[in-house]
Amino acid sequence: MVDLDRIAFFTRTLGFAYSMANCANKIWIFWVEDLAVNSFKDHNQCLTVSINTPWLPKSFFISFVYAKNLRSERRILWDELCEVASLLDGPWVVGGDFNAVLNVNESKGGGNPNQGSMEEFGSCLLDCGLMDAGYEGNDFTWTNGKVMRRLDRIVFNPEWSEMFSLTRVKHLNRVGSDHCPLLLQCSQAVQSFASSFRFLHMWTHHHDFLHVVKNNWDHPSGSTGCLNFWLKQQRLKSCLKWWNKYKFGNIFDKIKIAEDNVTKKEIIFQNDPSSNNREALHKEMAILNKTLFLEEKFWQQKSGCKWLLEGDRNTRYYQLLLKKKRVKNFIWTIQNDDGSILNDDKEIKRSAVDYYSALLTKDNDINVDPIANDWSFIPNIISEEDNTFLTNLPDRNEVRTVVFECDANSAAGPDGFSGLFYQHCWDIIGEDLVEAVIDFFKGGAIPKEVPLYALSC
């Protein structure tokens, strides 16, 4: 709503060195002297620029968005973003007022958002390979006093998350506007966590996997029941770690080797199209396809995606889901019981430890005096027959049924083993698992060597 000739005045007033506007004069950007900003692609609803800084090894791209109110006009913007995605190569972040929501949870008050509009917006982000950066603060960035919606957001591509390991978006308070300002903070800090064992589903497709498990599991542990099962699990973890490193191998290195081998065999076959060379080429292509299949299984498990159809599977999409999950699960701040806000990583960790330490060490003040606690008023609604059925020890078939009713692709428990492990290796570990479950149901004392979480099996 301000004439373009006023941009120089605002540049000086706001303390910036340079400024730029898009062709419709609806988007203004300002920057300091340390940045080199160049227009990459201009549009009446979007302005894309490339940015170079002296403290980053390569340039990156930012698209500033101010979408139209009409759905038909926003379609032009979605096409523009898809075109920009096909042209640029590098880290890319897109932010601004998209005038659209992705789902009904991003709207409150008034009628439900248009389903077709939400689908078109979601398809645009998916086609461009853009994932939502998440946010802190108010759930809604726009309001007219009656209706509230999250119309403003920041999204980025996988290359952006590779350059900036942490991306933080804050919805600031609305002051003098019906929209929340968005504050974007980025960091290249690399967080390191202690690695823990995780059973990889792709292992089950290796011809030697069951043989490795059986050879390790069949060795006696010198114990019985729960302790026996837990000791064998710990031993198997060490074995699988070694086998994965020295026998199964790095799946990404294998893909590079397989691709190189296919290229070599293709050249040989082109120069001499004999039956032997054709057979050698087909053999290397089969190895490459198998390796790509294992890579797909790896990313599918890491991303936790279960709903894609056979024809929709794509390792790049799995990687996008994984990075989005990491951003979503990251804890930036935490509020103490006294209302104070903690931002430092060490303080957040200390607060969590202190909270659960206090929670798990509280004294039990329940009065167990049988006279003071007269439970006779509670009716006995369980018959002797029902009680006998409920207290019967489970048999092998019952335990097996429970194991195979679990979701094979479920997330691994604290022991690191997912449901697929118990199902795939049932013939090897089944007897020991049944023995451990029966031992637990008998109510015997749990050996101190077995952590309580190990009983999750």
Side-chain angles (χ1 to χ4, degrees):
M1 303 299 179
V2 182
D3 292 336
L4 182 59
D5 57 6
R6 297 279 290 167
I7 193 171
F9 167 78
F10 283 101
T11 303
R12 294 191 304 270
T13 303
L14 296 175
F16 290 97
Y18 307 101
S19 57
M20 182 189 300
N22 76 323
C23 57
N25 192 35
K26 295 293 186 181
I27 301 172
W28 288 7
I29 63 174
F30 305 87
W31 65 94
V32 295
E33 290 184 354
D34 294 337
L35 303 179
V37 180
N38 296 289
S39 177
F40 182 80
K41 203 169 190 305
D42 195 356
H43 186 265
N44 64 345
Q45 299 183 71
C46 177
L47 175 59
T48 302
V49 299
S50 65
I51 299 179
N52 289 279
T53 70
W55 56 83
L56 289 176
K58 60 180 180 180
S59 61
F60 57 90
F61 300 88
I62 300 182
S63 292
F64 300 92
V65 173
Y66 184 27
K68 297 287 187 178
N69 292 324
L70 296 179
R71 176 183 171 189
S72 58
E73 293 182 296
R74 287 197 299 273
R75 289 185 185 136
I76 301 174
L77 171 62
W78 308 150
D79 293 339
E80 169 69 10
L81 290 176
C82 290
E83 183 180 352
V84 172
S86 66
L87 294 176
L88 57 79
D89 180 23
W92 182 35
V93 63
V94 185
D97 177 8
F98 290 87
N99 244 314
V101 297
L102 285 175
N103 55 69
V104 294
N105 295 326
E106 295 180 348
S107 177
K108 186 176 181 180
N112 286 334
N114 183 277
Q115 184 66 32
S117 175
M118 293 188 291
E119 291 177 357
E120 290 173 356
F121 184 26
S123 297
C124 171
L125 296 183
L126 185 61
D127 293 341
C128 294
L130 296 169
M131 57 182 170
D132 198 303
Y135 62 89
E136 299 175 41
N138 198 318
D139 291 333
F140 307 103
T141 64
W142 171 86
T143 182
N144 63 0
K146 297 180 180 179
V147 180
M148 294 179 287
R149 290 186 176 177
R150 187 190 175 201
L151 300 181
D152 310 83
R153 71 182 69 233
I154 291 177
V155 294
F156 53 78
N157 66 354
E159 289 79 8
W160 177 274
S161 61
E162 291 172 3
M163 173 178 278
F164 300 105
S165 57
L166 296 177
T167 299
R168 182 181 187 182
V169 177
K170 287 185 179 181
H171 292 174
L172 304 180
N173 294 327
R174 284 185 289 269
V175 179
S177 173
D178 52 0
H179 286 265
C180 288
L182 303 186
L183 175 62
L184 173 66
Q185 296 175 296
C186 307
S187 172
Q188 290 184 305
V190 178
Q191 286 195 315
S192 59
F193 301 96
S195 61
S196 58
F197 174 83
R198 281 293 180 269
F199 179 78
L200 299 180
H201 294 178
M202 64 179 180
W203 290 344
T204 61
H205 297 278
H206 193 279
H207 66 277
D208 203 32
F209 171 72
L210 288 177
H211 178 70
V212 171
V213 174
K214 182 174 177 56
N215 282 347
N216 183 271
W217 194 271
D218 286 348
H219 286 290
S221 68
S223 187
T224 59
C226 290
L227 180 58
N228 169 62
F229 191 82
W230 181 74
L231 290 173
K232 287 191 174 184
Q233 267 195 333
Q234 304 311 303
R235 188 176 63 196
L236 181 61
K237 288 180 185 180
S238 300
C239 174
L240 290 177
K241 285 181 179 179
W242 181 91
W243 176 76
N244 178 62
K245 183 175 181 180
Y246 295 103
K247 297 296 182 180
F248 189 87
N250 186 302
I251 189 67
F252 306 108
D253 292 342
K254 283 188 172 183
I255 289 176
K256 294 178 181 179
I257 294 173
E259 288 175 342
D260 292 341
N261 290 339
V262 168
T263 302
K264 292 177 183 178
K265 296 300 180 182
E266 282 181 337
I267 295 175
I268 294 175
F269 178 72
Q270 290 171 5
N271 295 330
D272 180 15
S274 64
S275 59
N276 290 337
N277 290 339
R278 181 187 293 106
E279 182 179 351
L281 174 60
H282 289 170
K283 181 179 179 181
E284 293 299 332
M285 291 180 67
I287 294 175
L288 175 59
N289 288 332
K290 176 66 178 295
T291 311
L292 291 172
F293 170 77
L294 295 178
E295 182 203 22
E296 178 186 299
K297 289 296 180 183
F298 173 81
W299 287 116
Q300 183 181 23
Q301 181 184 0
K302 293 278 284 185
S303 67
C305 182
K306 304 177 183 178
W307 54 267
L308 286 185
L309 300 176
E310 187 76 18
D312 295 331
R313 294 186 302 193
N314 181 279
T315 55
R316 180 176 174 84
Y317 182 70
Y318 292 141
Q319 294 172 24
L320 197 65
L321 287 180
L322 176 62
K323 291 176 180 179
K324 183 176 181 179
K325 184 170 69 173
R326 287 176 176 172
V327 171
K328 182 179 179 180
N329 291 340
F330 187 83
I331 299 176
W332 293 97
T333 61
I334 195 169
Q335 184 174 358
N336 264 337
D337 291 336
D338 59 5
S340 60
I341 302 297
L342 303 179
N343 297 292
D344 183 71
D345 290 344
K346 294 181 179 179
E347 291 180 349
I348 292 175
K349 293 177 183 178
R350 191 182 306 114
S351 174
V353 172
D354 292 344
Y355 174 80
Y356 284 103
S357 297
L359 180 66
L360 299 175
T361 55
K362 287 184 177 180
D363 295 332
N364 189 346
D365 296 330
I366 298 177
N367 188 349
V368 294
D369 185 354
I371 298 177
N373 293 274
D374 182 11
W375 305 106
S376 60
F377 63 90
I378 300 179
N380 185 4
I381 60 176
I382 300 295
S383 67
E384 287 297 329
E385 183 180 356
D386 292 335
N387 186 62
T388 301
F389 173 76
L390 291 172
T391 56
N392 278 340
L393 294 177
D395 57 23
R396 187 181 192 278
N397 290 333
E398 189 176 356
V399 175
R400 186 185 187 280
T401 300
V402 171
V403 168
F404 280 84
E405 284 180 351
C406 293
D407 184 1
N409 295 317
S410 61
D415 58 9
F417 291 99
S418 65
L420 180 63
F421 165 77
Y422 293 100
Q423 296 174 7
H424 193 77
C425 302
W426 173 259
D427 292 337
I428 301 172
I429 69 171
E431 294 299 332
D432 289 319
L433 178 57
V434 172
E435 181 186 345
V437 172
I438 293 176
D439 183 39
F440 174 72
F441 272 89
K442 284 181 177 179
I446 304 302
K448 64 180 181 180
E449 294 88 347
V450 182
L452 290 179
Y453 67 75
L455 299 178
S456 61
C457 67

